[in-house]
Amino acid sequence: MPEPATSIPLILATLASGLAFVLTANRLRMPEDQRARIWPIHLLLGGTTILCLAVFVYRVAVVHKAWVPVQAHVDGLLLIGLLLAPAIIYMQTRPKLFGLSLFALPLLSLILAWGVCATLWTYRPFNLDTFAPAWTVFHLGVTYVGLLGCGIGAAGGAMYLFVQGRLKAKAGLGQVNPMASLETLETLIIRAATLGFVLLTLSLISGLVMVTQSVETTSLGDAWWQSPKVWLAALSWVVYAVLINGRSFSRVRGNRAAWLAIAGLVLVLATYGAVEAIDRTQADRSPDAPQVQEAH
C-alpha cells in the first residue's frame, strides 16, 4: 500500500531536481555576462536534500522503528539522493565543475523517480531476518553508497564525451568554456570510479558471504551463481577493474575511459533492477506466502 508521507515528498524532490536541471542547462547556454543567478538552482537542490533527509529520518524512526536504516529499495534510493544532491551543489560552487552538474542532475532525477515507483507500485521490504543486523547494514551501505561514485564517474564520462565532441567539431565552443578540461575530467572519472570500485568490491564480498551462509533462505536459491543479479554485479566489477587499472598501461584513456564509466553505471543500475525483478518473481511464485506491506 502506498505511503503518502514517503511518496509525496519524493515526487516533490523529483520535480525540484528536474527544474534544477532545466535552469542549469539554460544558464550554461547563456553568455557569461548574461547568466541568471545561481541561487534558485541551489535553493531547489537544497530543498531536494532536505526532503530526502526528512523522509529518510521519518522512515527510520516511524516506519521501520529500528536502527537498520535501509530496509527496502526505496530507502537505498533515498540515501543515494541524500548524498548526490549536496554533491551537485558542491559541483556548482566550483567554476570548472559547474558543467558537471548538468550531467549529474538527470541521474539524481532518475534515482528519485525510481524511488517514487519503489514506494507507490513495487514496494517490497528486504528479508533481513536471515543475517546479522550489523552485517546487513554494512552490505547495504556499501552497495548503495557505491552507486554515488559510479554515478559521478558516469557523469564525468558523459561530460568528457560532450566536451570532446564540441572541440572536435569546433562548434558551440562557448558551451565548453565553463566546463573542465579533458585532463581534469579524465582524472575525475578515474577517482570516482575508484571509489565505486572499492565499495562495489566490498559489496560483492559481503554479499557472497551472506549468500553462501544462507543459501536455503535467500531468494537466489541453491543455484545462486546462475542468477542474473550475480552475473551483472560481477560484470560491472570487471568493467571498473579495467577502467581504473587499464589507465596504468595507457590502454584505457580518454573516451574509452568515459564510455567504460557510463557502461559501468548502466550495469550497476541493471543489477539493482535485477534484484527487484528476482524478489518480485519469487513472491509471485509463492502465492501462499504472506503479503508484506509497509507499516504506517
Side-chain angles (χ1 to χ4, degrees):
M1 180 178 295
E3 219 290 306
T6 298
S7 58
I8 293 177
L10 266 174
I11 293 173
L12 294 176
T14 304
L15 295 175
S17 64
L19 182 56
F21 168 74
V22 173
L23 294 179
T24 299
N26 185 60
R27 191 172 191 272
L28 284 172
R29 291 175 58 187
M30 295 180 178
E32 189 171 356
D33 58 344
Q34 298 180 13
R35 286 178 188 159
R37 295 181 180 180
I38 197 174
W39 68 263
I41 303 175
H42 287 176
L43 182 63
L44 289 168
L45 290 174
T48 299
T49 304
I50 293 173
L51 285 171
C52 289
L53 177 61
V55 176
F56 191 78
V57 172
Y58 163 78
R59 292 184 61 81
V60 172
V62 179
V63 177
H64 303 317
K65 298 179 181 179
W67 67 275
V68 179
V70 179
Q71 297 195 25
H73 191 47
V74 61
D75 300 321
L77 295 172
L78 272 168
L79 178 60
I80 298 170
L82 179 58
L83 296 174
L84 185 56
I88 294 175
I89 294 176
Y90 172 77
M91 295 173 193
Q92 295 193 338
T93 62
R94 312 295 296 180
K96 291 300 183 181
L97 290 180
F98 183 89
L100 183 60
S101 63
L102 181 66
F103 300 91
L105 277 167
L107 177 61
L108 175 61
S109 298
L110 172 64
I111 294 297
L112 296 175
W114 195 350
V116 173
C117 295
T119 187
L120 285 179
W121 301 292
T122 63
Y123 180 81
R124 188 168 299 278
F126 298 138
N127 181 14
L128 304 179
D129 297 333
T130 307
F131 315 107
W135 190 255
T136 300
V137 170
F138 174 79
H139 173 70
L140 294 175
V142 296
T143 298
Y144 282 100
V145 177
L147 181 57
L148 177 65
C150 298
I152 293 176
M159 183 175 172
Y160 184 99
L161 295 173
F162 174 80
V163 173
Q164 185 185 58
R166 289 289 182 176
L167 291 174
K168 286 184 177 180
K170 297 182 180 180
L173 294 180
Q175 296 181 8
V176 177
N177 291 335
M179 299 187 181
S181 65
L182 294 179
E183 182 179 359
T184 300
L185 288 172
E186 185 177 353
T187 301
L188 172 69
I189 292 170
I190 299 301
R191 289 180 178 177
T194 300
L195 172 63
F197 175 75
V198 171
L199 295 177
L200 180 61
T201 301
L202 294 175
S203 174
L204 287 174
I205 294 174
S206 58
L208 182 62
V209 172
M210 294 168 70
V211 169
T212 55
Q213 292 296 320
S214 306
V215 172
E216 296 180 355
T217 56
T218 63
S219 60
L220 300 182
D222 294 333
W224 58 267
W225 53 274
Q226 298 178 354
S227 169
K229 168 188 173 182
V230 175
W231 281 99
L232 285 170
L235 183 58
S236 60
W237 184 88
V238 171
V239 168
Y240 282 108
V242 171
L243 173 59
I244 66 176
N245 292 293
R247 190 170 185 246
S248 303
F249 303 99
S250 300
R251 299 281 183 178
V252 182
R253 303 291 296 266
N255 59 351
R256 292 182 180 178
W259 280 115
L260 279 176
I262 295 172
L265 176 64
V266 171
L267 287 170
V268 171
L269 292 176
T271 304
Y272 284 75
V275 173
E276 286 294 291
I278 290 172
D279 289 344
R280 296 197 68 81
T281 300
Q282 290 293 331
D284 293 339
R285 290 178 179 177
S286 303
D288 296 333
Q291 296 295 315
V292 182
Q293 295 182 351
E294 187 170 0
H296 292 274

